[in-house]
Amino acid sequence: MKGAKQTTLREQVAMSGIGVHSGQPVTLTLNPGDDDTGIIFQRVSADGAVEREIRADVRAVTATEFATVLGDAKGPLCSTAEHLLAALRGLYVDNVVVEIDGPEVPIMDGSAAAFVDALDQAGLTTRALPRRYIEVLKPVRVAKDKSFGELRPYAHGFRVEAEIEFDHPLIGKQALGLDIEPKTFRDEIARARTFGFMKDVAKLWGAGYALGASFENTLVVSDDRVLNPEGLRFSDEFVRHKILDAVGDLALAGLPLIAAYKTVRGGHKLNNAVLSALMADTSAWRIVEATEMPARRRGQAQTAGVVAPAYGPDVS
């Protein structure tokens, strides 16, 4: 699996949808990014003028209650960034500028599939600069009650393992672990939708959330069945979406991870807490440059290419 060089978009691509919380229309435009700039979010006015700009980074997270919200000292810039971030990280897009004219990334169908389609439409191009990674050197764990999240060393790239448990006959306990690379992300993760329970709808609306939620963008579960006419896309779609969210939340490391992440009964808040704990412990990680992404494990573990130290945490 090649992953030696940085990538960005070949051309601009735009898409429109509604915000799941505001219910308002939003237009989002993905633009090619300059070398070594990472993922940039720009809030633009109706005439296209850039009003604010932030880099997608764990330090830019301002809230994690119902979605991952990015902002700065001036306040939130955009909410519900995790599905777009998951698509970018899952397809190995390093540098991109995201223009958005509303307060949240459009929810589309509740998964990352529409963002994958947009990236395919734009096409990707390889740049001359080597790709940099954050390599996790020792386990970093955050636990609360029965939930925990842990990043640990993993020599074969980026892996996410998720376990969920709901007292519901259609969900129950589900667990899945996958090495995240473009084909796996496309086939196994991108189409898994965000989900919610019908009994919680009134509470969310009363709190000003999920005003744009519908059967078109949310997997809705009643006491005994899935209410969406198409049903489930995967028998374990619920845990697959948790993996999707984790990929997006961990994209806020700023660089792709060489690590395995395990989340048990977690969500955005836990994902953010683990990533923040990792970044705070400068002995737990280093930045490396790779001539080729470490090989996915097949039978006996092997590592392809060279992973060489580039920079220490103090200059990240």
Side-chain angles (χ1 to χ4, degrees):
M1 176 175 58
K2 298 292 182 180
K5 303 296 184 182
Q6 295 184 23
T7 62
T8 187
L9 281 65
R10 290 187 184 276
E11 59 184 32
Q12 181 187 82
V13 62
M15 56 199 310
S16 298
I18 65 166
V20 69
H21 294 304
S22 67
Q24 299 301 309
V26 184
T27 297
L28 179 147
T29 304
L30 304 177
N31 300 285
D34 293 334
D35 291 349
D36 225 13
T37 56
I39 302 168
I40 304 294
F41 280 81
Q42 294 179 340
R43 183 70 176 270
V44 298
S45 62
D47 60 2
V50 177
E51 298 177 335
R52 292 170 61 195
E53 176 179 295
I54 59 170
R55 187 173 188 271
D57 182 275
V58 67
R59 292 166 292 188
V61 176
T62 61
T64 54
E65 280 73 22
F66 296 102
T68 296
V69 182
L70 304 179
D72 53 24
K74 296 180 180 180
L77 188 147
C78 79
S79 174
T80 326
E82 59 272 12
H83 300 170
L84 172 59
L85 289 170
L88 293 169
R89 183 61 72 230
L91 269 57
Y92 293 174
V93 180
D94 299 288
N95 305 305
V96 64
V97 178
V98 181
E99 295 180 2
I100 185 169
D101 68 356
E104 54 185 320
V105 174
I107 191 63
M108 309 313 286
D109 73 344
S111 75
F115 301 117
V116 169
D117 290 344
L119 293 171
D120 287 343
Q121 179 183 336
L124 302 182
T125 184
T126 301
R127 297 292 181 85
L129 285 182
R131 176 171 286 132
R132 297 186 300 157
Y133 300 85
I134 291 175
E135 180 186 13
V136 172
L137 303 175
K138 66 180 184 181
V140 174
R141 180 183 175 109
V142 174
K144 183 177 181 181
D145 301 326
K146 294 182 179 181
S147 301
F148 76 85
E150 181 181 62
L151 279 163
R152 66 180 189 271
Y154 186 67
H156 311 287
F158 179 43
R159 180 175 178 83
V160 178
E161 302 162 356
E163 294 182 14
I164 61 173
E165 187 170 3
F166 288 87
D167 184 17
H168 192 283
L170 294 182
I171 305 177
K173 187 173 183 179
Q174 298 182 5
L176 183 64
L178 294 168
D179 286 11
I180 305 300
E181 53 188 38
K183 182 174 180 7
T184 303
F185 185 83
R186 289 174 183 278
D187 295 346
E188 306 292 342
I189 299 301
R191 296 179 61 248
R193 294 161 293 177
T194 191
F195 60 92
F197 299 94
M198 196 67 192
K199 62 183 177 61
D200 295 330
V201 169
K203 185 193 304 182
L204 288 170
W205 285 346
Y209 291 98
L211 300 180
S214 71
F215 293 140
E216 283 70 46
N217 57 41
T218 305
L219 187 58
V220 183
V221 183
S222 70
D223 290 340
D224 59 356
R225 63 192 178 96
V226 171
L227 299 180
N228 303 66
E230 74 171 284
L232 294 172
R233 294 177 176 176
F234 306 92
S235 61
D236 57 353
E237 187 170 357
F238 305 97
V239 74
R240 289 174 190 261
H241 188 79
K242 286 292 186 180
I243 291 177
L244 189 158
D245 279 345
V247 172
D249 289 339
L250 295 180
L252 293 168
L255 295 172
L257 293 169
I258 299 177
Y261 179 60
K262 184 169 185 177
T263 171
V264 175
R265 301 183 185 91
H268 300 302
K269 187 181 293 292
L270 180 65
N271 298 339
N272 178 256
V274 176
L275 185 56
S276 296
L278 175 74
M279 294 292 99
D281 185 352
T282 57
S283 69
W285 57 278
R286 64 176 179 171
I287 296 177
V288 298
E289 289 181 353
T291 58
E292 187 169 320
M293 184 70 173
R296 182 179 177 183
R297 182 174 57 191
R298 293 183 178 88
Q300 185 176 359
Q302 297 179 344
T303 301
V306 177
V307 179
Y311 306 100
D314 57 327
V315 294
S316 65

